[in-house]
């Protein structure tokens, strides 16, 4: 009998063949924590678990990304305490203010690799599935336990298979696929399951991260894209990464469900307030005027996302009365955008650029929304109050739709601008 | 009797001959307010029964102090400003355009000989263009919005004659820090400061803005930098003081041997030559503010950091003065150089200068910054220590992790 990718990874992590439904104790390859949750994790680690040292200082990554640079004294204090802790524990992999969002950073640094079990103190840790890892978000106590012991316990999840067929039409991409799946199966459609994305071999690792991060928005425990295809090979060659031969899509693997999406007919998808799975085709939306367009986050703040937006914004200006905020997912994405002219295009169009990191995604700084404001957001969550005022409206869409919307002032198809 | 530049400008705008200490009502040429002050001015304007601005094309609103909004309270104030701007049809620069004073100059809202009011203490910056520019409170600004006029006591003037040539690695910031030390935090209180002398002639507009900007730290009402040697894209008649104009004090300095200067905690006038503080550890470095975040400032930092990496444990945050500065720095490779060294960019605007967001220091941290004020708590945390210096000193210090003379690394 074949295994799903999740079963393969967790079998290796457990040191024995395991299958869906089993409870296992597994070895953790990498544990990530960020500035937002670290104070409680550190407290539990030392005070409640009594551990003096992390289990392996080379397998812990610490990232300052959630409110960076610090917006309040409290943030500054937490970040200072975190830096001291990193020095005291001699943590090898520490990424301070401005390096970017934990998930792309760990991928860029080659720390996240295919076949790994990676735990993160962040719900979008499913992101590591973009490079064929089993990435899962966990709470402070589980994270502290993993830091202390290098182990965690898990129930091996069942797997939902997403099967994309055909090719994306112009102006349609990974974000639309992800939102389409949320629409098809709902926010709890894959609760505690692994989401395997098939038929997306062409997608770059940046685009794969869009799908992997959105996997949590349908309840996924992990979201894994098989590390094959041209998009993967480009990343693997550049970073010198070889996917383990035991990690491959196997005949006879058991899926709880297969969800098919026809890319040939897929049009831009818009998630309307206030739930991620409240998704409509752009053509069904009607006219929605916006105050803010925000391009960023671990879902769609990558170099490819900014470049996609820049192709539409090139030679055009942001509509009067609309502000366009662009927050690169990482310093590497910013550097690439600097080198290839994307950043110049965005600035010329009228964008305000923010420090690489989580930005306003969680409503804690760098673009908090006022009551009544409407925001077109390339992020992953549009819950009431997510980006500030509970009376603000957040629509989720792709960077291409974001760029077209910034130019026209209302939520628009990229073709409306490009024609 | 001869007149100073301030007396001439005030006389011209009052429509009569006015001398120092006389109270005059003057027509103004422009009024600027930021997200820190416009909301109060809007309230005052409404309370005065204001329904329209005296001249919307001369009223500029800038969202720069806490932009993008760090919390819902601020986002509400921004929304209020946008609504007021739309209703009144005045000029509004939104999030990411840059710092108010930079935009006033870049977008040609200020010209030599004008009187400009700004609801911001660093409004004397426009003295770099020979304008009489002064900071006012929100209520005075609201009255000016309504009437196009303001009242003022014509200031007495201090003349500072600067001769010689600044050494390589020594900049207008070092010069003005030195002068703040000499004149003191209240040495120019409610006065106009005239800068002249051979050392001024070679200074760029950006450097002249640095010089004029920090006269606020001497208590000055306004400043005038000699326009000699300044190229502007339009014709103008420089206003010269009369030879027999009366000054409260005249200072003369030769700048040939000036060293980089650092203002140590907790006052901008608490200035020492760099060798007295070199070696002090720093954890955070900031290049930004209306004092020093223009293209030449970013280039000065890039010249120090080119091909090198920041010291471990140091974060260098940079806020370009404006979108235009950001774009120019992008085109000439300055941004790439700085980014490769490990520097982090924040949105063009005031950034952490006023301690509202985007880089609040932690307790006990030392910050070296190209800004203009190091009062206790200025950057948001009363338990941090702030050192003011030039962009080159900030960059050299970020490179070494301790306060460093750029001459030691170049």
């Amino acid at each position: 009998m074949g295994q799903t990718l999740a079963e393969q990874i967790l079998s290796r992590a457990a040191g024995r063949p395991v299958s869906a439904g089993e409870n296992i104790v597994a070895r953790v390859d990498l544990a990530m924590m960020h500035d937002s949750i670290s104070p409680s994790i550190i407290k539990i680690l030392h005070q409640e678990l009594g551990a003096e040292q992390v289990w392996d200082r080379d397998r812990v990554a610490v990232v300052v990304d959630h409110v960076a640079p610090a917006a309040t004294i409290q943030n500054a204090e937490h970040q200072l305490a975190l830096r001291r802790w990193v020095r005291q524990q001699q943590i090898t992999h520490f990424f301070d203010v401005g390096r970017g969002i934990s998930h792309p950073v760990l991928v860029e640094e080659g720390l996240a690799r295919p076949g790994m079990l990676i735990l993160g103190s962040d719900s979008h840790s499913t992101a590591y599935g973009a490079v064929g890892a089993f990435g899962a978000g966990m709470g402070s106590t589980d994270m502290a336990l993993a830091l202390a012991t290098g182990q965690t316990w898990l129930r091996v999840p069942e797997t939902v298979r997403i099967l994309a067929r055909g090719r994306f039409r112009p102006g349609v991409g990974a974000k639309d696929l992800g939102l389409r799946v949320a629409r098809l199966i709902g926010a709890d459609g894959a609760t505690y399951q692994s989401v395997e994305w098939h038929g997306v071999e062409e997608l770059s690792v940046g685009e794969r991260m869009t799908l992997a991060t959105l996997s949590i928005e349908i309840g996924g425990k992990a979201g894994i894209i098989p590390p094959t295809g041209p998009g993967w090979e480009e990343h693997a060659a550049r970073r010198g990464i070889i996917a383990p031969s035991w990690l491959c899509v196997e005949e006879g693997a058991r899926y709880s469900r297969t969800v098919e999406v026809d890319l040939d007919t897929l049009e831009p998808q818009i998630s309307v307030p206030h739930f991620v799975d409240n998704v409509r085709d752009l053509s069904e939306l009607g006219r929605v005027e916006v105050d803010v367009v925000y391009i960023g986050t671990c879902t769609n703040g990558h170099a490819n996302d900014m470049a996609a937006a820049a192709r539409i914004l090139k030679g055009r200006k942001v509509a009067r009365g609309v502000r366009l905020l662009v927050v690169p997912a990482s310093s590497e994405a910013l550097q690439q955008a600097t080198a290839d002219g994307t950043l110049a295009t965005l600035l010329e169009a009228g964008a305000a650029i923010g420090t690489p990191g989580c930005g306003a995604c969680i409503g804690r700084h760098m673009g908090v929304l006022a009551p009544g404001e409407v925001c077109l957001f390339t992020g992953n969550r549009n819950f009431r109050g997510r980006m500030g005022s509970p009376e603000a409206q957040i629509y989720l869409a792709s960077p291409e739709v974001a760029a077209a919307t910034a130019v026209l002032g209302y939520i628009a198809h990229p073709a409306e601008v490009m024609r | 009797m001869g007149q100073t530049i301030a007396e001439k400008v005030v006389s011209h705008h009052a429509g009569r001959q006015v001398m120092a200490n006389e109270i005059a009502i003057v027509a103004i040429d422009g009024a600027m307010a930021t997200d820190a002050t416009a909301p109060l001015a809007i309230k005052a304007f409404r309370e005065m029964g204001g329904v329209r601005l005296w001249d919307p094309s001369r009223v500029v609103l800038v969202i720069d102090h806490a932009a993008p909004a760090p919390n819902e309270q601020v986002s509400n104030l921004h929304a209020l400003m946008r609504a007021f701007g739309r209703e009144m049809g005045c000029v509004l620069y939104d999030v990411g355009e840059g710092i108010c004073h930079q935009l006033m100059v870049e977008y040609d809202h200020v010209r030599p000989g004008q009187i400009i009011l700004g609801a911001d203490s660093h409004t004397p910056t426009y003295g770099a263009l020979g304008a009489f520019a002064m900071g006012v409170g929100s209520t005075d600004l609201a009255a000016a919005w309504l009437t196009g006029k303001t009242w003022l006591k014509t200031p007495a003037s201090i003349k500072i004659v600067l001769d010689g040539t600044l050494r390589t690695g020594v900049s207008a910031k070092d010069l003005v820090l030195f002068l703040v030390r000499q004149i003191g935090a209240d040495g120019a209180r409610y006065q106009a400061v005239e800068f002249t002398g051979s050392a001024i002639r070679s200074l760029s507009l950006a450097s002249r803005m640095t010089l004029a900007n920090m006269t606020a730290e001497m208590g000055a009402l306004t400043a005038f930098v000699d326009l000699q040697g300044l190229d502007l894209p339009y014709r103008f008649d420089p206003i010269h003081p009369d030879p027999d104009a009366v000054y409260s004090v005249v200072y003369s300095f030769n700048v040939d041997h000036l060293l980089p200067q650092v203002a140590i905690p907790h006052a901008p006038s608490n200035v020492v030559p760099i060798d007295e503080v070199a070696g002090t550890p720093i954890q955070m470095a900031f290049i930004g503010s209306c004092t020093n975040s223009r293209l030449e400032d970013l280039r000065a930092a890039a010249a120090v950091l080119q091909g090198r990496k920041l010291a471990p444990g140091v974060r260098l945050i940079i806020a370009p003065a404006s979108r235009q500065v950001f774009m120019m720095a992008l085109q000439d490779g300055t941004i790439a150089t700085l980014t490769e060294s490990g520097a982090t960019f924040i949105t063009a605007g005031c950034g952490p200068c006023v301690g509202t967001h985007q880089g609040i220091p932690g307790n006990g941290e030392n910050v070296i910054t190209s800004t203009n004020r190091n009062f206790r708590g200025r950057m948001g945390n009363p338990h941090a220590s702030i050192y003011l210096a030039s962009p080159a000193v900030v960059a050299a210090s970020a490179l070494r992790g301790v306060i460093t003379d750029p001459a030691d690394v170049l």
Side-chain angles (χ1 to χ4, degrees), chain A residues 320, chain B residues 42 46 53 56 59 61 78-92:
Chain A
R320 204 177 151 75
Chain B
I42 292 168
R46 304 279 195 208
L53 301 170
V59 171
L61 304 179
H78 291 178
L80 171 77
M81 283 175 73
R82 291 185 189 105
F84 183 79
R86 270 196 304 275
E87 182 191 338
M88 297 293 159
C90 65
V91 183
L92 184 139

Side-chain angles (χ1 to χ4, degrees), chain B residues 251-324:
Chain B
Y251 294 93
S252 288
F253 298 102
N254 185 292
V255 305
D256 283 341
H257 302 292
L258 189 74
L259 288 175
Q261 306 284 309
V262 178
I264 64 175
H266 294 282
S269 56
N270 207 1
V271 174
V272 297
I274 192 155
D275 46 7
E276 288 185 26
V277 275
T280 306
I282 53 112
Q283 291 78 40
M284 174 173 155
F286 176 54
I287 296 174
S289 87
C290 50
T291 312
N292 279 119
S293 58
R294 287 171 276 276
L295 187 59
E296 68 176 29
D297 301 318
L298 303 190
R299 282 179 175 166
V304 171
L305 292 169
Q306 175 85 48
R308 305 174 187 188
K309 295 282 180 196
L310 302 186
V314 172
R315 51 197 193 279
L316 169 59
I317 296 168
I318 303 177
S322 68
R323 179 203 309 289
Q324 286 191 29

Side-chain angles (χ1 to χ4, degrees), chain A residues 120-152:
Chain A
S121 69
D122 183 274
S123 58
H124 291 102
S125 300
T126 53
Y128 307 118
V131 292
F134 187 104
M138 289 203 179
S140 303
T141 313
D142 280 312
M143 284 306 300
L145 197 61
L147 288 178
T149 65
Q151 294 185 315
T152 193

Side-chain angles (χ1 to χ4, degrees), chain B residues 131-175:
Chain B
F132 186 112
M134 64 180 204
V136 294
S138 297
T139 315
D140 280 318
L141 193 81
W145 280 354
L146 199 58
T147 62
K149 291 178 191 160
T150 196
W151 72 272
L152 52 84
K153 189 178 83 170
T154 309
S157 293
I158 291 178
K159 179 183 282 209
I160 302 179
V161 184
L162 299 164
D163 285 310
T165 310
L166 292 173
R167 306 196 319 194
T168 309
V170 180
S171 68
K173 178 60 163 288
D174 301 302
L175 179 53

Side-chain angles (χ1 to χ4, degrees), chain A residues 69-73 76-77 80 83-84 97-98 323 325 335 338 343-344 347-348 350-355 364-371 373 388-390, chain B residues 68-72 75-76 79 82 94-96 315 317 323 326-327 330-331 335 339-340 344-347 356-363 365 380-382:
Chain A
T72 66
I73 293 183
E77 276 309 287
L80 189 56
R83 289 184 191 106
R84 288 194 182 122
V97 170
R323 51 196 197 276
L325 304 177
Q335 276 174 312
T338 304
L343 188 56
L347 283 167
E348 277 159 24
I353 310 295
T355 309
R364 291 174 61 183
H365 73 154
M366 277 170 64
V368 171
L369 299 177
E373 285 192 321
S389 170
Chain B
N71 57 54
E72 207 183 324
S75 62
N76 271 315
R82 291 185 189 105
D94 212 319
V95 169
R315 51 197 193 279
I317 296 168
R323 179 203 309 289
F326 202 165
M327 285 199 288
L330 197 55
Q331 277 152 12
I335 300 289
T339 307
E340 280 157 23
T344 295
F345 283 85
I346 59 175
T347 310
T356 50
H357 69 154
Q358 286 191 344
I360 311 286
N363 289 352
E365 285 194 313
N381 189 340

Side-chain angles (χ1 to χ4, degrees), chain A residues 21-72:
Chain A
E22 283 183 61
N23 286 322
I24 63 165
V25 172
R27 198 164 52 77
V28 174
D29 294 298
L30 187 64
M32 184 285 294
M33 64 176 186
H34 55 65
D35 52 316
S36 195
I37 310 286
S38 55
S40 63
I41 297 173
I42 292 169
K43 190 169 162 222
I44 295 167
L45 176 69
H46 297 310
Q47 292 178 18
E48 294 182 25
L49 301 178
E52 285 181 10
Q53 290 285 314
V54 299
W55 101 97
D56 184 344
R57 65 192 185 90
D58 294 329
R59 291 183 177 274
V60 176
V62 178
V63 189
V64 179
D65 63 358
H66 268 56
V67 191
T72 66

